[in-house]
Amino acid sequence: MASRRRPWRAAGAGTEDYAPKMTLQEMVHQAASLYSDRKAVCFDECNKPPVFYTYKEVVSLATELTVFLQHYCDHRGTFEIGLYCYPGINLPSWILGILQVPAAYSPLDPDAPPVLSTYFMKKCNLQYILVENDKINKFKISHAGWFYESSFAIDHVGLTLFQINWNDVDVNMLLDGAEDKNGISKATSNWETDYVADLDQLKAKTSQRGYMDVRQQHSLAYILHTSGTTGIPKIVRVPHKCIVPNILHLHLAVFCESPHWSAKEREKLQKLAAAESLFKITPDDMLFMASPLTFDPSVVELFVSLISGASLLIVPNPIKMMPLKLSAALFHRHRVTVLQATPTFLRRFGAQLIKSTVLSASTSLRVLALGGEAFPALNVLRSWKSRENKTHVFNLYGITEVSSWATCYRIPEEVLSSDLRFDSPVPLGSPLLGTTVEVRDATGSAVLDGEGQVFIGGKERVCFLDDEVIVPLNTMRETGDFVRVKDAEMFFLGRKDSQIKRHGKRLNIECVQQAAEGLCHVEACAVTWYQQEKLILFVVPKDNLARDTLKELQKHLPTYAIPDELVLIETLPFTLHGKIDVSELSKIYSNHLNFRRHDSKLSGAEELWERLQYLWKSLLSLPDDSPSISKDSLFLYSGGDSLKSLRFHDEIENLTGKAIPGLLEVILSSSIAQVYQHVLKAVFPSEDQIMDHNTVKRTLTERSGGEFHGEHTKPKSRRYFNAPAGLIAFIALNRGNRMLSMTSPESLMNPYNVGQAGKKLRQQASYSSAVTSNTMKYEVTENKSGKSRSSPEIARKANETGTHSVEQAPSEETFLKMPEKLILHVRWKSNMGKCVDASPLVIIPATDDLSATVYVGSHSHTMQAIDLCSGKIKWERILGDRIESSACVSKCGNFIIVGCYNGLVYVLRSQNGEIHCIFTTEDAVKSSAVVHPSTGLVYIGSHDQHIYALDIYKEERVWKLHCEGGAVFSSPYLSILPDHLYVATLGGLLLAVNPDTGSKIWKSSCGKPLFSSPHCSEQYVCIGCVDGNVHCFSHSGEKVWQFSTSGPVFSSPCISSLIKQEIYFGSHDRFIYCCNMEGNLLWKFETTSSVYATPFVFHSHDLESETLLAATSTDGTVWVLNAKNGLVAGVEKLPGEVFSSPVVCGSRLVVGCRNDYVYCLDLCIAEKTRTTRMC
């Protein structure tokens, strides 16, 4: 029988029924009675002889303070007293004196922001505050105007008592505008103490109902506030019953032998000590008080020492910031044996000092307990430890809301051995005395194996937060910390606020920090998510090689985890609690940006050139001492990509302190010298250019001899192409299911046959395109060779690149056909000489004597025509520059049109690759051309910010249109109904253009660059944007919807009418998405890397498959998914990055790769289709 699953849960073994009956001060009294003449506390200012107090002296001074407070304070009911001081020799006595009143102590840091201290004092409704005598003026000045006070000096104790009468202060105004991490505004009520006359009645009431009540007299030990790093600081009132189990468990070895325990209590503690001995504190130990009073581990440090007869070392706060002085005090003069600290505190010593002193072979340190932050990576810890070091290392975990520690794990000696490379994560360990730990998912369900959030509590391990008065026993507190549960152990993943979404992938920035600090030239480091936009790595360097940190990290972290920028600093800033000060790091980076933005820092053209080279090297992870960047270098071909281009753009604008129009297009298409000239002109317009770049200005020459000067030519009436004698009937397949079917000379003469032809083809059961009603399709009746073939036969030769337009409805039995498993084999590959980023064009002729051909270009300037079946190269042509443009076939089928980086548009003969004619633009052409099925005009964009309409038969330009300040990187899309040409720009504009005249019909701004190409359905036009959205417009230009992803969308939408009209696209967040045309998500699939390419939908009778989707991720993985549900049908990894989009012809998939090859993969069935009955 199935049982109800509970969350992962653990409790301190054999301790759940144990309820400590002693208070902190009572345990100190016991130890003082045993060790009255032993040294209890030592204060070392490091510039004079240290001062010591014995246990007897500590208690005596505390008693004097207690008597004074009992006399001057009204301590009826619950009672809290503030303590405003620095750590010193009297600190233990002051705290003990307050507890003996009895009252709870509330530490106040003189160095904390006055507004925060005032908020805390008012929120706690403190009526009495003890101020260290030499801090009185600081206290009065910092809090002037908030309250009236009267004061009483305490002789021989070093304190002055202030009685506070609060002004009419709204506590919520003190932290104006603050919100907690969940966006909830500040509490609107103050917690007020309430004297309860009949305490016995209250105890009976709360005991009966299983509650703890903060109004019970003498129940509280201390009051703290959380750090407030994620929002408003929370007030935490800690009862003795909550903290005493912590103190007991961590030092049990001595205290369980105390004669003050009953026999039964002593037996329990002895069993616990034998089973789980942790620090084993003895009177011979010296503990160091590393934590500030406002951080609750200080309570553990103070009382673990004082209840065991050991000695406590205290140093002034400034000494804690001086590694050499601190290490000399701790490990040479005083021989500290137990150190509890945050990992950040330990890192202050530096790796060399840690290994030579703190964790050396001869160190006095017996116990090192690290907590409060993520535990260091094991390889880092090993590098810190000397081989012969015997220090026991512990991982502590807890939250202030259940003060102080919850779990503890001792790192096994064999794991820390220098000879082993064991590097698994460190568990959080077992729960401490009286503590219960649970792991739950977002719904509160059990997490027995997997990831979830930690909840901490216990029967009486309960604190009161903010305005809480009554809290049920066994209350479990949400921690905001996430762990992975495996083999009954918890492994820390990170805080909720350390989990970020970057490039669509969840990332824990603490993992980035751990990876960075593991590098040999990094002394210490921190990572921040600056303004939720940029991942910044701050490094304290060991040597000059630290500048190579980002390059080294690429060997250890995935691309999405590499920081955007490296900032070298002399030392890390720390909070008052000894943790890394993230807000201060943000200020450091902000100042860093301001320094770079300051115009005066750019003294002239020469410095600009040097700064550009520095940014270039930094973004491409090139060493600083690498040779100067060649002035002809292009960013995208030096290791850059689209995301790095955007960062380069932002860094240049930060450097110059101004927006530079057109900069992104120049970065994408031009050399560093041209980038420099573009920036120079914007920043120093009056300065002479100091570099000769031999820039050639290209001029578009019309074959007709006319000059256009930016205007368009409007023909009197639409001209329709008269098919020449050599017409070839064919179907052309291009990326994103763009298909051109040219098969009927008669139908070409009538533009109104376009819709009819498409309709007629869609009605055929054997073949229907995977595109929309706008698809350019024409039936074949005959061709010049005399061989004819029906449309169904052509379709079968094309292997059904599309789907049936009529989908059979499921039967009443509702059977589900499971997707078949495909094996992807390399059929052939062709060496293109350099990267193949262009997408292939596949042409399937209608005649038996001609085979299907793949046309594709590469960075090597090479254009190839390859036989689809055999992989044999039919012809190869070397053009003038790199080719990223995907080829397009002319209406007649006799010509191939392709753009080139040299600004030329080549028209090649499809049969032999000979150049038919060339058109010139004024900048690089990365856009892919599209052909009008009626007029035969070719439309193509250029980085010169124009879209061109070309007549390849008359060899003239019909019109060109300026696209208003943005390069045309993507490919235009031609809609037949309505008759629109859609053009997208890197300026973020989507334009609808009249394809006959070049006049603008409408335009809309998406706000960010558009690398994606538009695609249409019958009702809508869709396009992806680098802002992470896919935008949908009506054909009249109205915004219909937008769909958000978690990364830039460079992938072009693929719109299919296979079953219903659906849209498929990829994102840099690693997902492939499928939405309906209302913008609703149908499914999404996570790949292994960013998805730059455009998906391709296909249906193949040869494979006897469902409708499938081909897609690629940039890591070279080729995916074949079920188009209906996103399930994987097949997968293959190519040996290089892939930015090319796949095209599928039947059972063959063609795609380019950055390892210089274009691949053809066979899609083979691995097993027969299985049919299972749906439940």
Side-chain angles (χ1 to χ4, degrees):
M1 178 181 295
S3 61
R4 184 178 178 181
R5 297 177 63 188
R6 296 182 56 80
W8 188 94
R9 182 184 177 97
T15 66
E16 288 184 300
D17 61 342
Y18 174 73
K21 297 180 177 62
M22 299 185 71
T23 62
L24 292 174
Q25 64 268 25
E26 289 171 343
M27 291 193 293
V28 174
H29 290 158
Q30 286 191 5
S33 66
L34 295 173
Y35 311 107
S36 61
D37 294 327
R38 293 187 65 91
K39 292 177 182 178
V41 57
C42 170
F43 181 65
D44 190 349
E45 297 183 70
C46 299
N47 59 359
K48 59 181 69 172
V51 181
F52 297 92
Y53 278 179
T54 64
Y55 274 84
K56 182 178 180 180
E57 290 170 322
V58 168
V59 173
S60 175
L61 186 64
T63 302
E64 187 174 349
L65 175 61
T66 301
V67 171
F68 177 89
L69 294 175
Q70 289 174 336
H71 177 73
Y72 280 95
C73 299
D74 179 3
H75 52 92
R76 293 175 299 168
T78 56
F79 188 31
E80 302 89 23
I81 298 176
L83 180 59
Y84 186 92
C85 68
Y86 285 127
I89 186 65
N90 292 328
L91 179 62
S93 298
W94 293 342
I95 292 176
L96 185 60
I98 295 172
L99 292 173
Q100 290 175 164
V101 171
Y105 74 93
S106 302
L108 301 168
D109 189 346
D111 293 330
V115 170
L116 178 60
S117 295
T118 304
Y119 173 83
F120 175 61
M121 291 188 293
K122 175 62 175 173
K123 189 74 175 175
C124 296
N125 196 37
L126 292 181
Q127 303 299 314
Y128 299 96
I129 298 175
L130 289 168
V131 179
E132 192 174 359
N133 283 342
D134 58 358
K135 303 297 180 293
I136 291 175
N137 288 337
K138 181 179 179 69
F139 176 75
K140 288 183 175 181
I141 294 171
S142 298
H143 302 91
W146 293 111
F147 47 74
Y148 301 102
E149 81 282 342
S150 54
S151 59
F152 307 90
I154 312 173
D155 295 335
H156 311 302
V157 179
L159 294 173
T160 296
L161 177 67
F162 282 79
Q163 185 171 359
I164 305 299
N165 295 303
W166 287 94
N167 291 332
D168 188 13
V169 176
D170 182 0
V171 68
N172 299 306
M173 296 297 292
L174 298 177
L175 298 181
D176 186 36
E179 290 187 347
D180 71 10
K181 60 186 177 182
N182 298 314
I184 302 173
S185 62
K186 300 182 291 289
T188 58
S189 62
N190 295 333
W191 184 85
E192 302 288 346
T193 58
D194 182 14
Y195 175 65
V196 181
D198 191 350
L199 186 58
D200 293 334
Q201 180 182 355
L202 174 63
K203 288 182 178 179
K205 182 178 179 181
T206 55
S207 175
Q208 183 180 0
R209 297 187 178 181
Y211 289 92
M212 290 184 67
D213 195 312
V214 75
R215 295 168 296 185
Q216 288 180 310
Q217 285 183 312
H218 320 321
S219 65
L220 296 183
Y222 54 93
I223 305 175
L224 301 173
H225 61 79
T226 59
S227 61
T229 55
T230 59
I232 302 168
K234 282 184 275 191
I235 307 301
V236 182
R237 294 177 172 84
V238 185
H240 287 275
K241 289 182 178 180
C242 182
I243 187 61
V244 166
N246 249 210
I247 306 299
L248 288 176
H249 200 162
L250 292 174
H251 98 295
L252 280 170
V254 169
F255 197 73
C256 63
E257 302 301 328
S258 170
H260 296 274
W261 293 110
S262 67
K264 186 176 181 180
E265 289 172 332
R266 186 181 298 110
E267 181 182 359
K268 283 186 177 182
L269 291 174
Q270 287 172 339
K271 288 181 178 179
L272 183 63
E276 299 190 36
S277 55
L278 295 176
F279 295 175
K280 297 183 179 178
I281 307 297
T282 73
D284 296 325
D285 279 310
M286 171 73 82
L287 286 78
F288 175 59
M289 192 168 183
S291 304
L293 273 182
T294 53
F295 190 31
D296 59 329
S298 66
V299 181
V300 175
E301 295 160 1
L302 177 63
F303 286 97
V304 164
S305 175
L306 293 182
I307 71 172
S308 58
S311 299
L312 179 70
L313 175 64
I314 301 175
V315 301
N317 287 336
I319 299 299
K320 295 180 182 178
M321 306 300 295
M322 304 175 186
L324 290 175
K325 283 192 175 183
L326 182 62
S327 64
L330 267 59
F331 304 109
H332 295 301
R333 286 198 299 277
H334 301 289
R335 306 291 293 173
V336 165
T337 59
V338 179
L339 174 61
Q340 174 194 265
T342 63
T344 294
F345 184 93
L346 180 63
R347 291 186 182 102
R348 291 185 196 175
F349 290 105
Q352 184 176 355
L353 196 56
I354 293 175
K355 191 164 188 175
S356 64
T357 303
V358 183
L359 295 177
S360 67
S362 59
T363 184
S364 60
L365 194 63
R366 184 175 58 80
V367 171
L368 173 62
L370 298 176
E373 295 175 310
F375 196 81
L378 282 176
N379 63 325
V380 174
L381 190 58
R382 289 193 200 99
S383 71
W384 288 344
K385 285 196 70 173
S386 172
R387 181 180 293 271
E388 294 80 17
N389 176 264
K390 301 301 181 183
T391 303
H392 301 309
V393 183
F394 294 83
N395 181 18
L396 292 171
Y397 169 73
I399 58 173
T400 302
E401 291 88 335
V402 187
S403 186
S404 167
W405 301 120
T407 65
C408 183
Y409 179 79
R410 178 177 170 181
I411 315 300
E413 291 299 324
E414 57 270 21
V415 171
L416 294 175
S417 170
S418 300
D419 298 328
L420 295 177
R421 301 308 337 151
F422 183 75
D423 203 25
S424 67
V426 177
L428 293 186
S430 303
L432 297 177
L433 182 65
T435 306
T436 301
V437 180
E438 295 180 357
V439 180
R440 307 172 185 171
D441 63 18
T443 65
S445 301
V447 175
L448 305 177
D449 185 53
E451 297 182 8
Q453 185 178 182
V454 179
F455 287 74
I456 297 175
K459 183 177 181 180
E460 291 187 322
R461 291 223 59 212
V462 176
C463 297
F464 301 90
L465 307 185
D466 288 332
D467 300 327
E468 291 178 345
V469 176
I470 296 177
V471 178
L473 300 178
N474 294 303
T475 292
M476 302 298 291
R477 297 292 189 184
E478 177 183 5
T479 65
D481 294 324
F482 286 83
V483 297
R484 176 179 292 111
V485 179
K486 185 177 181 181
D487 299 330
E489 290 281 9
M490 295 184 299
F491 299 92
F492 185 70
L493 295 177
R495 283 201 53 77
K496 183 187 299 183
D497 33 72
S498 294
Q499 303 282 325
I500 66 172
K501 208 67 177 296
R502 186 167 186 255
H503 303 330
K505 196 69 177 175
R506 191 178 76 173
L507 174 65
N508 178 15
I509 61 177
E510 291 171 349
C511 294
V512 180
Q513 179 174 324
Q514 285 192 350
E517 73 177 2
L519 302 179
C520 59
H521 46 260
V522 174
E523 181 71 38
C525 66
V527 181
T528 65
W529 184 227
Y530 182 73
Q531 295 183 350
Q532 298 186 336
E533 291 181 350
K534 298 177 73 175
L535 195 64
I536 309 301
L537 172 62
F538 297 86
V539 167
V540 178
K542 285 184 182 177
D543 49 46
N544 293 331
L545 294 178
R547 293 190 178 277
D548 297 332
T549 299
L550 294 184
K551 186 175 181 180
E552 287 296 312
L553 278 179
Q554 293 177 2
K555 302 175 183 178
H556 304 279
L557 293 173
T559 303
Y560 66 85
I562 302 299
D564 293 299
E565 191 168 348
L566 170 69
V567 178
L568 300 182
I569 55 179
E570 292 185 3
T571 184
L572 291 174
F574 305 106
T575 67
L576 299 174
H577 288 181
K579 301 181 182 180
I580 292 174
D581 192 333
V582 176
S583 62
E584 188 61 30
L585 287 176
S586 295
K587 292 178 183 177
I588 291 173
Y589 183 69
S590 180
N591 293 335
H592 177 72
L593 287 181
N594 291 335
F595 174 81
R596 288 184 353 207
R597 290 179 182 136
H598 204 287
D599 284 342
S600 64
K601 298 302 179 182
L602 280 177
S603 58
E606 185 175 354
E607 186 174 356
L608 172 62
W609 174 247
E610 293 174 356
R611 293 287 195 95
L612 285 179
Q613 289 202 83
Y614 170 77
L615 289 176
W616 184 288
K617 292 179 180 180
S618 176
L619 288 167
L620 300 180
S621 300
L622 301 176
D624 284 347
D625 57 357
S626 61
S628 297
I629 308 300
S630 168
K631 62 184 180 181
D632 296 322
S633 298
L634 284 91
F635 191 75
L636 291 182
Y637 295 99
S638 301
D641 54 31
S642 299
L643 285 174
K644 290 180 180 178
S645 299
L646 291 171
R647 285 171 51 196
F648 193 28
H649 169 273
D650 293 342
E651 293 294 343
I652 292 174
E653 290 195 339
N654 285 334
L655 172 66
T656 60
K658 60 169 59 180
I660 303 177
L663 176 59
L664 182 60
E665 296 92 88
V666 178
I667 292 171
L668 290 167
S669 61
S670 305
S671 66
I672 187 174
Q674 291 167 309
V675 172
Y676 162 77
Q677 288 288 2
H678 188 84
V679 177
L680 182 67
K681 185 177 180 181
V683 180
F684 303 110
S686 61
E687 186 161 341
D688 293 334
Q689 296 180 0
I690 63 172
M691 296 181 63
D692 177 19
H693 305 295
N694 299 317
T695 305
V696 178
K697 184 73 172 177
R698 304 182 187 91
T699 303
L700 186 72
T701 303
E702 302 302 324
R703 296 299 180 103
S704 60
E707 291 296 332
F708 281 77
H709 305 291
E711 77 279 4
H712 58 265
T713 302
K714 182 177 180 179
K716 295 180 181 179
S717 61
R718 171 168 284 188
R719 302 169 298 161
Y720 297 103
F721 164 66
N722 291 317
L727 178 115
I728 300 173
F730 66 89
I731 294 175
L733 305 175
N734 210 327
R735 59 176 181 159
N737 291 88
R738 296 193 180 201
M739 188 187 75
L740 180 65
S741 177
M742 302 304 256
T743 55
S744 176
E746 290 83 355
S747 65
L748 300 182
M749 304 307 297
N750 186 352
Y752 300 104
N753 287 340
V754 173
Q756 294 298 321
K759 181 179 179 181
K760 189 169 183 178
L761 276 175
R762 285 194 303 275
Q763 289 172 344
Q764 298 174 13
S766 62
Y767 179 79
S768 169
S769 170
V771 292
T772 68
S773 61
N774 292 327
T775 305
M776 307 158 200
K777 296 177 278 193
Y778 295 87
E779 296 180 33
V780 133
T781 55
E782 65 177 327
N783 57 37
K784 184 74 175 179
S785 67
K787 295 182 180 180
S788 64
R789 181 168 294 175
S790 66
S791 293
E793 290 173 313
I794 298 173
R796 282 193 292 273
K797 187 163 185 178
N799 237 343
E800 312 283 27
T801 307
T803 116
H804 300 293
S805 59
V806 180
E807 191 73 20
Q808 291 186 350
S811 64
E812 293 183 1
E813 290 82 6
T814 61
F815 282 83
L816 174 64
K817 190 175 183 181
M818 301 294 290
E820 59 276 84
K821 301 293 187 249
L822 300 179
I823 297 176
L824 281 64
H825 291 293
V826 176
R827 182 180 183 87
W828 54 258
K829 62 180 182 179
S830 182
N831 192 341
M832 300 286 294
K834 285 189 178 179
C835 300
V836 185
D837 282 347
S839 300
L841 165 70
V842 179
I843 296 180
I844 306 103
T847 58
D848 288 327
D849 58 340
L850 295 176
S851 60
T853 304
V854 177
Y855 298 90
V856 68
S858 83
H859 293 187
S860 66
H861 310 188
T862 302
M863 189 75 192
Q864 286 186 358
I866 309 167
D867 187 280
L868 176 64
C869 181
S870 66
K872 178 181 178 181
I873 298 176
K874 294 185 177 182
W875 55 258
E876 183 175 89
R877 178 66 57 184
I878 305 298
L879 303 183
D881 209 331
R882 298 178 180 90
I883 304 170
E884 277 192 14
S885 170
S886 299
C888 168
V889 65
S890 65
K891 178 178 178 178
C892 64
N894 291 321
F895 303 108
I896 300 297
I897 302 98
V898 66
C900 196
Y901 254 66
N902 60 2
L904 303 181
V905 178
Y906 291 85
V907 181
L908 310 176
R909 295 190 181 276
S910 60
Q911 296 303 312
N912 53 27
E914 292 181 359
I915 297 176
H916 170 68
C917 64
I918 298 174
F919 294 87
T920 61
T921 75
E922 298 183 28
D923 209 333
V925 179
K926 303 180 185 180
S927 172
S928 302
V930 63
V931 171
H932 199 295
S934 297
T935 66
L937 292 181
V938 174
Y939 305 97
I940 194 167
S942 169
H943 267 57
D944 66 7
Q945 304 183 5
H946 289 80
I947 184 77
Y948 293 83
L950 310 174
D951 189 327
I952 64 173
Y953 304 105
K954 292 187 176 182
E955 301 182 17
E956 67 179 17
R957 185 191 71 192
V958 179
W959 55 258
K960 77 172 183 178
L961 173 69
H962 186 262
C963 295
E964 302 188 19
V968 182
F969 174 92
S970 62
S971 304
Y973 188 90
L974 186 63
S975 167
I976 301 303
L977 295 174
D979 193 16
H980 288 175
L981 179 71
Y982 291 105
V983 183
T985 77
L986 295 186
L989 284 182
L990 176 65
L991 300 97
V993 179
N994 186 314
D996 291 341
T997 66
S999 60
K1000 297 172 188 172
I1001 301 171
W1002 58 262
K1003 65 180 180 180
S1004 183
S1005 175
C1006 295
K1008 294 288 184 179
L1010 300 174
F1011 289 87
S1012 170
S1013 299
H1015 206 155
C1016 293
S1017 69
E1018 292 180 355
Q1019 295 85 20
Y1020 306 125
V1021 55
C1022 299
I1023 190 166
C1025 183
V1026 298
D1027 65 1
N1029 293 309
V1030 171
H1031 299 267
C1032 178
F1033 299 87
S1034 70
H1035 286 293
S1036 59
E1038 298 173 349
K1039 184 73 169 287
V1040 180
W1041 52 260
Q1042 73 179 39
F1043 180 91
S1044 297
T1045 75
S1046 298
V1049 179
F1050 294 94
S1051 171
S1052 302
C1054 168
I1055 298 179
S1056 169
S1057 59
L1058 298 175
I1059 304 169
K1060 297 177 181 178
Q1061 287 194 344
E1062 293 152 359
I1063 177 171
Y1064 303 90
F1065 57 90
S1067 170
H1068 265 57
D1069 66 5
R1070 295 188 169 209
F1071 281 93
I1072 298 168
Y1073 292 85
C1074 174
C1075 298
N1076 61 24
M1077 289 311 299
E1078 285 71 48
N1080 299 316
L1081 180 66
L1082 300 180
W1083 56 260
K1084 66 178 182 178
F1085 171 79
E1086 185 173 14
T1087 70
T1088 50
S1089 185
S1090 301
V1091 181
Y1092 184 98
T1094 301
F1096 192 97
V1097 180
F1098 65 101
H1099 184 97
S1100 173
H1101 285 313
D1102 286 0
L1103 297 176
E1104 299 178 356
S1105 68
E1106 297 290 335
T1107 302
L1108 300 175
L1109 180 80
T1112 58
S1113 47
T1114 54
D1115 62 355
T1117 307
V1118 179
W1119 305 91
V1120 179
L1121 309 177
N1122 186 310
K1124 295 180 183 178
N1125 52 33
L1127 297 177
V1128 177
V1131 63
E1132 177 67 12
K1133 183 74 182 295
L1134 298 181
E1137 291 184 313
V1138 173
F1139 287 79
S1140 170
S1141 298
V1143 172
V1144 180
C1145 182
S1147 58
R1148 292 163 194 163
L1149 182 151
V1150 186
V1151 69
C1153 184
R1154 282 197 164 178
N1155 71 337
D1156 305 345
Y1157 284 84
V1158 59
Y1159 285 84
C1160 177
L1161 305 178
D1162 276 333
L1163 311 180
C1164 307
I1165 298 176
E1167 59 179 338
K1168 292 185 178 181
T1169 301
R1170 295 176 291 114
T1171 303
T1172 58
R1173 181 150 187 156
M1174 291 179 64
C1175 298

